[in-house]
Amino acid sequence: GAGWIAVAGYEEVPEDGTLASRMEDVSVCLYKVEGEIYATDNQCTHGDAELSEGLIQDGCLIECPLHEGMFDIRTGKAVSPPCTRDIRSYEAKVEGAVIYLRTS
Ligand code: FES
């Protein structure tokens, strides 16, 4: 069944920045935009790159550091070439300054 897993402290994620973390055996990327936390897979679906090394654009997109493809951090949708396969996005919540992601 679904549950919540603690992945990082809220203050560990820089504003308008990213933090790599792990949820069970999955490498995830956490984002903070205007105080809101978002989470997706950290591995780009186009190649061997970690999205946590990329830049947040327009407040809702992550630009891959390797070939500048982009994903929507809210949905994981691939929105810019060469990325065509979506990444997973995760529901996040903050409780007591701790970030939790929902497992499925
Ligand atoms: Fe991410 Fe190519 S590896 S766009």
Side-chain angles (χ1 to χ4, degrees), residues 44-49 51 64-71 81-83:
C44 183
T45 53
H46 178 253
D48 190 14
L51 298 175
C64 178
L66 199 49
H67 309 109
E68 286 97 40
M70 292 201 270
F71 300 92
C83 300

Side-chain angles (χ1 to χ4, degrees), residues 25-103:
D25 56 349
V26 180
S27 177
V28 295
C29 181
L30 307 176
Y31 310 86
K32 188 188 283 178
V33 177
E34 292 179 6
E36 279 294 309
I37 297 294
Y38 301 89
T40 69
D41 285 336
N42 196 19
Q43 172 72 46
C44 183
T45 53
H46 178 253
D48 190 14
E50 297 197 346
L51 298 175
S52 57
E53 305 289 324
L55 284 178
I56 297 176
Q57 305 280 15
D58 298 334
C60 62
L61 305 175
I62 182 68
E63 182 185 73
C64 178
L66 199 49
H67 309 109
E68 286 97 40
M70 292 201 270
F71 300 92
D72 191 314
I73 67 175
R74 301 164 297 185
T75 61
K77 194 161 184 42
V79 295
S80 176
C83 300
T84 53
R85 274 189 301 132
D86 299 345
I87 51 175
R88 280 189 66 186
S89 63
Y90 300 91
E91 191 180 341
K93 70 174 180 180
V94 179
E95 265 179 29
V98 175
I99 299 168
Y100 296 86
L101 302 188
R102 185 191 276 282
T103 64

